[in-house]
Amino acid sequence: MATDTEKTGGVWPALRRFLLENGALTALAVLVVVMSLLSGDFLTAQNLLNVGVQAAVIAVLAFGVTFVIIAGGIDLSVGSVAALSATVLAFLATVEGVPVWLALPLAAATGTACGLVNGALIAYGKLPPFIATLAMLSVGRGLSLVISEGSPIALPDSVAALGGSIGGWLPVPVLIMVVMGLVTAVILRRTFTGRAMYAIGGNEEAARLSGIRVKRQKLGIYALSGLFAAVAGVILASRLASAQPQAAQGYELDAIAAVVIGGASLAGGVGTAFGTLIGALILAVLRNGLNLLSVSAFWQQVVIGVVIALAVLFDTLRRRSGGAGGGTGAGASVSRGRRGIQLAIAAAVTAVVVGALSFLVPNSSSDGPRVGMSVSTLNNPFFIQMRDGAQAEADEAGVNLVVTDAQDDASQQADQIQNFISTGVDAMVVNPVDSDAAGPPVGGANNADIPVIAADRGVTDAEVATLVASDNVEGGRLAAQAMAEALGEEGRIVVLQGTPGTSASRERGAGFEEGIAEFPDIEVVAEQTADFDRSKGLDVMTNMLQGNGDIDGVFAENDEMALGAAAALSSRGEEAVVIGFDGTPEGLEAVADGVLHASIAQQPAELGRTAVRNAIAAANGEALEETVMVPVEVVTEENVEDFS
């Protein structure tokens, strides 16, 4: 009797069929092999657990989005719903004193309610899913900021424990991810609702004619997506030990990408829980591996985008070729030939990716200490100068400095700190996105006996070797005094605030508010957020001028917003005293040209140098001062030459 292997044509054809039928799994396997070859730190038990933890939030979000995409819809609101649900949990449990056993289901109900609203707008309001969920994206984020008043809210210890591990090695977020994946698989395979999703996504009209109550099913589908988003939000908040109102921004795109990479079709009717899990793991492996390889944060975005596009492209080619179905004769030979060509192309592309990654990985012949540096964002001149100063100091000292960009995402920064721990750096410099959220990951570095230097902002509930910082509160007071002097201690002013929830915005704003209160004849007529962004500063200032009439002065919490405000004033032919913060090169040039009245110079390059200098000393076991302050000064036309 012939064996099964003989019947199917041998081991290689069976393996080839399996690879073609499981494109996402094949891509994951290739990525793991590539990363293992390029980094000796990748294929370790600790790092693989890190990958699982880092995939957990996106995976749970993506499981919920899987229901929606299979049914032919889209959900852009899951990131905001996750942040809102976590904020509701923290607000109820911490601020209002509601018991955790009640606050948790209320947080889940919040996510479910958001999903029900989405479903009602789509099923009964006839809104396109893109529009309905885009509206909820904005509403959810706004409510999160309203409830939290723009500041993080600490979680009770019992909830924060969900971000920890069992037995010191098994991460709870990974367990939750597995459980939610099993729940997703059961719903899709074993329930009427799951079968209805496939039917609606395949042909909605046919599903309706077959007796499926399409509108009611859509309500349930979007409610499930909202519930899963709430669970993801709790996982994310527990990892950071606080609810961040700006958390999970952009995560909806990662969730959709994970579903599509996992083999689902945006046209509907196709998708699995297992495929979605593999898609989330691919994204996590990419980010983790590129961090370990010290690939530039800017190149990381390029590589991830290319890999996502290739994964979807090969899956599309596979579907067009009819998969790996059997057959005989000339037709089967042609099909096998086409599949062979696809595999050859895939192998060639893999070789190109390996070569590109090898090219992007910086070579370092330094025998000195390795220092990891996580910067809150490199999309801001201040932090770019900090990075450049740190790199200059590292080059002079013969130190291998690895810089990562958290992109103003506290969760991403936590991942980067975990990766530094996995690679065994000798010391770390952390410029926190948020002081509270940086506590748990820095605590992990404490447990690994890796000294941590806090730069520009402190770290809450964790030990740092020293804090190298400028005094943001004092800088705010100096800005208030400079404003009062320029206005003769009377006038009408407006304030442009930074990103809500960030410690820099809170501290600078608090210092300015405290300082300006000493001058009762100066009236603050408006305060609005412009996210530390120049273009938003331009738009917000234009609106403020429209709504408040003549303005005598503007305080912006960084130079970028100040330059945007100055452009708005110029476009309307109006004049006002504009004071910025940071002392960036362009800000100082604007001071010299009279565009800005003043800037509060923090000397970010010197801050970066000092942080690395202290990190090297800490790595060598030297005792450090508890706080090292880099002076801030008011820069005006009179002294700008000293700083330029």
Side-chain angles (χ1 to χ4, degrees), residues 229 433 611:
V433 172

Side-chain angles (χ1 to χ4, degrees), residues 226-439:
L227 175 61
F228 275 58
V231 174
V234 173
I235 297 173
L236 180 58
S238 67
R239 288 192 62 206
L240 305 174
S242 62
Q244 307 278 322
Q246 292 284 21
Q249 288 200 77
Y251 281 30
E252 56 277 349
L253 300 181
D254 277 357
I256 293 169
V259 176
V260 175
I261 290 172
S265 170
L266 288 174
V270 178
T272 64
F274 179 72
T276 295
L277 175 62
I278 296 301
L281 288 174
I282 285 175
L283 293 177
V285 166
L286 271 173
R287 291 197 168 97
N288 175 271
L290 294 174
N291 279 164
L292 296 183
L293 295 171
S294 304
V295 174
S296 160
F298 305 137
W299 276 110
Q300 285 188 33
Q301 297 183 51
V302 175
V303 172
I304 290 171
V306 169
V307 169
I308 289 173
L310 287 175
V312 177
L313 174 62
F314 283 121
D315 188 65
T316 301
L317 291 174
R318 178 183 66 81
R319 293 181 186 280
R320 286 180 178 174
S321 69
T328 59
S333 298
V334 171
S335 179
R336 285 195 295 271
R338 287 176 178 172
R339 293 195 294 271
I341 291 172
Q342 290 173 23
L343 283 175
I345 294 173
V349 170
T350 301
V352 170
V353 170
V354 173
L357 287 174
S358 300
F359 176 75
L360 292 173
V361 174
N363 294 318
S364 175
S365 58
S366 170
D367 294 325
R370 284 197 307 151
V371 176
M373 182 178 187
S374 177
V375 183
S376 58
T377 179
L378 289 176
N379 191 30
N380 183 301
F382 176 84
F383 296 107
I384 291 173
Q385 288 182 82
M386 182 193 295
R387 186 270 318 267
D388 292 344
Q391 189 64 62
E393 182 69 25
D395 291 343
E396 291 176 12
V399 168
N400 180 15
L401 180 67
V402 181
V403 182
T404 60
D405 177 7
Q407 299 178 347
D408 277 328
D409 184 340
S411 175
Q412 193 169 150
Q413 185 163 63
D415 295 344
Q416 292 168 357
I417 294 172
Q418 284 183 332
N419 294 340
F420 284 147
I421 296 171
S422 296
T423 58
V425 296
D426 297 287
M428 266 187 241
V429 176
V430 177
N431 163 231
V433 172
D434 180 81
S435 298
D436 295 332

